[in-house]
């Protein structure tokens, strides 16, 4: 607007003796200097925005390439665990290198910063394993995205990894309010197992409500499951529902969960709830109390409603099918969603073959203790 007014204002002669000489040295007059500064600042801001956009686009391309090569065990894409700009190690001093993590929390000795080749036993022989294929099943509200650190570590170690999005979860487009049964919710997992070749086996890894989901799949396809690993998960008994499991909590321990739950009544208030939303202001305290802030931010924009009907459904588990699959449990002692006392109660009711404990882990160890979780998954896969 200042430039526009200048163009239409009458020109008056300048009475100074050397205006031409000064103008040749600096074409910008004083009234226009502020406009010039504004343009410079605007250009810098635009360049900064472009840089952020390019980095985000590069990260998306990396993740897409990682998904496309998910089925390759030997030639998997070396997916970076950080999408931040990196500088070559040889181009500057160590003092100018960027930190590997933006988290302000101190790194625990139970989750050391190690390279994948240090975590995976170099003497491991995949031919000696019954299977090196791990299928990761997320918990309620989560999606395959929550396993991104675990996927990278396992694939870099030579394992084959499949992370599924259950119905209405992650990038699965189905409306959560339309899910009416556990079989419908677990269908992406059961379809995947059904299509496996005869004789091919997997290791199922279930987190949270994903524990009930892998139990359901174990009953249907026991011959295709080598081991089942429950990570801070619902490990139910025959005739029990996930809601039954949560009702076992000691008095007062479920206050945080109750505060976080927001019931959705898509079929009207006179009908049962169709889904459960989680209050995002309580997410950190409930699910991520030991996790880095950047992962909490990822979860806050990615978590979807939890279908209510599958949570109510009681499982039918038999000794001849479900009971033939070897089970392992990984405890998370700093868990505020499924407290350690409740985890131990489930273990006591239906003892697995072996129990492991991730010291310092919250309800989401794939965020809070990714290295230590990876090490345990590899260790369990090697148990003969």
């Amino acid at each position: 607007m200042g430039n526009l007014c200048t163009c239409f204002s009458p020109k008056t002669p300048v009475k100074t003796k050397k205006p031409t000489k000064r103008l040749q040295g600096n074409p910008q007059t004083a009234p226009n200097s502020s406009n010039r500064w504004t343009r410079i600042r605007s250009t810098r801001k635009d360049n900064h925005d472009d840089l952020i956009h390019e980095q985000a686009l590069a990260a998306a391309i990396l993740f897409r390439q990682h998904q496309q090569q998910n089925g390759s065990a030997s030639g998997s894409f070396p997916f970076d665990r950080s999408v931040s700009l990196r500088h070559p190690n040889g181009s500057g001093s160590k003092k100018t290198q960027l930190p590997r993590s933006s988290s302000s929390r101190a790194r625990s000795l139970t989750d050391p910063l190690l390279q994948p080749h240090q975590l995976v036993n170099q003497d491991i022989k995949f031919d000696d394993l019954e299977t090196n294929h791990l299928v990761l099943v997320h918990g309620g509200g989560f999606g395959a995205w929550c396993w991104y650190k675990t996927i990278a570590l396992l694939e870099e170690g030579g394992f084959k990894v499949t992370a599924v999005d259950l119905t209405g979860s992650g990038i699965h487009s189905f409306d959560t309010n339309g899910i009416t049964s556990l079989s419908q919710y677990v269908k992406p997992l059961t379809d995947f197992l059904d299509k496996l070749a005869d004789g091919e086996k997997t290791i199922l890894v279930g987190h949270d409500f994903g524990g009930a989901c892998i139990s359901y799949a174990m009953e249907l396809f026991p011959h295709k499951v080598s081991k089942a690993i429950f990570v801070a998960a619902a490990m139910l008994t025959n005739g029990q529902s996930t809601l039954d499991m949560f009702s076992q909590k000691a008095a007062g321990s479920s206050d945080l969960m109750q505060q976080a739950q927001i019931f959705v009544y898509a079929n009207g208030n006179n009908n049962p709830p169709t889904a459960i939303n989680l209050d995002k202001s309580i997410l950190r305290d409930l699910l991520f109390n030991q996790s880095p802030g950047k992962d909490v931010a990822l979860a806050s924009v990615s978590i979807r409603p939890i279908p209510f009907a599958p949570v109510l459904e009681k499982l039918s588990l038999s000794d001849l099918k479900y009971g033939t699959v070897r089970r392992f449990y990984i405890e998370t002692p700093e868990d505020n969603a499924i407290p350690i006392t409740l985890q131990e109660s489930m273990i006591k009711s239906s003892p697995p073959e072996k129990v492991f404990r991730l010291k310092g882990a919250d309800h989401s160890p794939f965020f809070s203790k990714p290295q230590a979780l990876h090490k345990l998954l590899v260790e369990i896969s090697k148990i003969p």
Side-chain angles (χ1 to χ4, degrees):
M1 196 61 190
N3 290 332
L4 184 61
C5 293
T6 303
C7 292
F8 287 97
S9 63
K11 298 181 179 179
T12 57
V14 181
K15 295 184 180 181
T16 55
K17 293 183 179 181
K18 299 180 181 180
T20 306
K21 185 175 180 180
R22 293 183 66 181
L23 287 173
Q24 287 176 347
N26 183 9
Q28 298 292 336
T29 61
N32 290 332
S33 62
S34 61
N35 294 330
R36 175 176 176 271
W37 174 240
T38 301
R39 288 195 297 272
I40 292 175
R41 288 188 298 175
S42 177
T43 302
R44 289 176 179 173
K45 182 177 183 300
D46 292 341
N47 291 339
H48 179 67
D49 291 343
D50 290 342
L51 178 60
I52 293 177
H53 177 74
E54 291 175 1
Q55 292 178 1
L57 182 60
I61 292 173
L62 281 174
F63 185 70
R64 182 60 181 167
Q65 290 175 332
H66 158 73
Q67 286 184 319
Q68 291 174 346
Q69 301 189 18
N70 194 36
S72 172
S74 59
S76 58
F77 188 83
F79 183 66
D80 282 335
R81 290 183 295 279
S82 173
V83 296
S84 60
L85 183 64
R86 293 188 176 188
H87 296 278
N89 292 334
S91 62
S93 65
K94 293 183 179 180
K95 294 182 180 180
T96 61
Q97 293 180 7
L98 294 177
R100 293 183 63 91
S101 173
S102 61
S103 173
S104 59
R105 69 184 178 95
R107 182 168 294 277
S108 169
L109 294 177
T110 62
D111 189 39
L113 183 59
L114 300 176
Q115 297 300 318
H117 69 273
Q118 294 175 287
L119 286 168
V120 180
N121 190 338
Q122 292 297 294
D123 296 330
I124 186 172
K125 297 179 181 179
F126 288 104
D127 291 339
D128 295 339
L129 301 180
E130 188 174 9
T131 180
N132 71 332
H133 187 179
L134 281 79
V135 178
L136 309 179
V137 182
H138 62 80
F142 290 84
W145 52 266
C146 72
W147 299 104
Y148 78 95
K149 294 179 181 179
T150 304
I151 293 170
L153 289 168
L154 287 170
E155 288 189 340
E156 288 174 346
F159 285 86
K160 182 178 179 180
V161 186
T162 301
V164 299
D165 276 320
L166 300 177
T167 304
S169 305
I171 61 173
H172 195 286
S173 60
F174 195 85
D175 183 5
T176 307
N177 293 297
I179 300 174
T180 58
S181 67
L182 183 60
S183 61
Q184 182 184 9
Y185 181 59
V186 185
K187 194 173 187 301
L189 173 61
T190 54
D191 283 352
F192 172 80
L193 293 173
D194 186 46
K195 294 176 182 178
L196 286 179
D198 292 338
E200 185 176 355
K201 291 195 172 187
T202 64
I203 297 175
L204 294 185
V205 182
H207 169 249
D208 185 76
F209 186 36
C213 298
I214 65 173
S215 297
Y216 180 88
M218 290 156 60
E219 179 69 19
L220 294 178
F221 303 98
H223 56 289
K224 293 187 176 182
V225 183
S226 171
K227 298 183 180 79
I229 305 175
F230 294 77
V231 182
M235 188 169 64
L236 309 178
T237 58
N238 181 44
Q240 190 180 32
S241 70
T242 303
L243 184 63
D244 295 334
M245 180 270 293
F246 275 107
S247 67
Q248 296 177 5
K249 283 187 176 182
S253 64
S254 60
D255 288 348
L256 194 60
M257 175 66 79
Q258 291 178 353
Q259 293 175 26
Q261 292 175 351
I262 304 173
F263 290 94
V264 180
Y265 295 85
N267 297 328
N269 293 334
N270 294 328
N271 294 302
T274 54
I276 306 171
N277 271 323
L278 295 177
D279 186 344
K280 292 186 178 180
S281 67
I282 307 179
L283 279 183
R284 178 185 287 274
D285 293 334
L286 179 65
L287 305 175
F288 313 113
N289 50 298
Q290 300 294 323
S291 297
K294 57 186 177 182
D295 292 323
V296 180
L298 169 65
S300 67
V301 297
S302 304
I303 280 184
R304 294 179 62 182
I306 305 168
F308 190 63
V311 176
L312 295 177
E313 189 167 328
K314 298 182 183 296
L315 292 183
S316 178
L317 305 174
S318 66
D319 292 337
L320 295 177
K321 294 181 179 180
Y322 170 84
T324 61
V325 180
R326 303 172 66 188
R327 289 178 293 118
F328 301 84
Y329 200 98
I330 297 179
E331 295 179 335
T332 48
E334 303 301 323
D335 198 324
N336 288 336
I338 303 181
I340 187 64
T341 53
L342 181 55
Q343 296 178 40
E344 292 176 342
S345 175
M346 290 187 289
I347 291 170
K348 183 178 180 180
S349 298
S350 180
E353 182 174 323
K354 193 170 183 179
V355 177
F356 301 84
R357 175 170 288 201
L358 274 178
K359 184 179 179 181
D362 58 18
H363 186 63
S364 305
F366 36 73
F367 289 157
S368 60
K369 299 293 177 184
Q371 310 278 356
L373 173 62
H374 167 76
K375 189 173 181 179
L376 285 184
L377 294 178
V378 173
E379 181 179 343
I380 294 173
S381 73
K382 293 163 53 181
I383 296 178

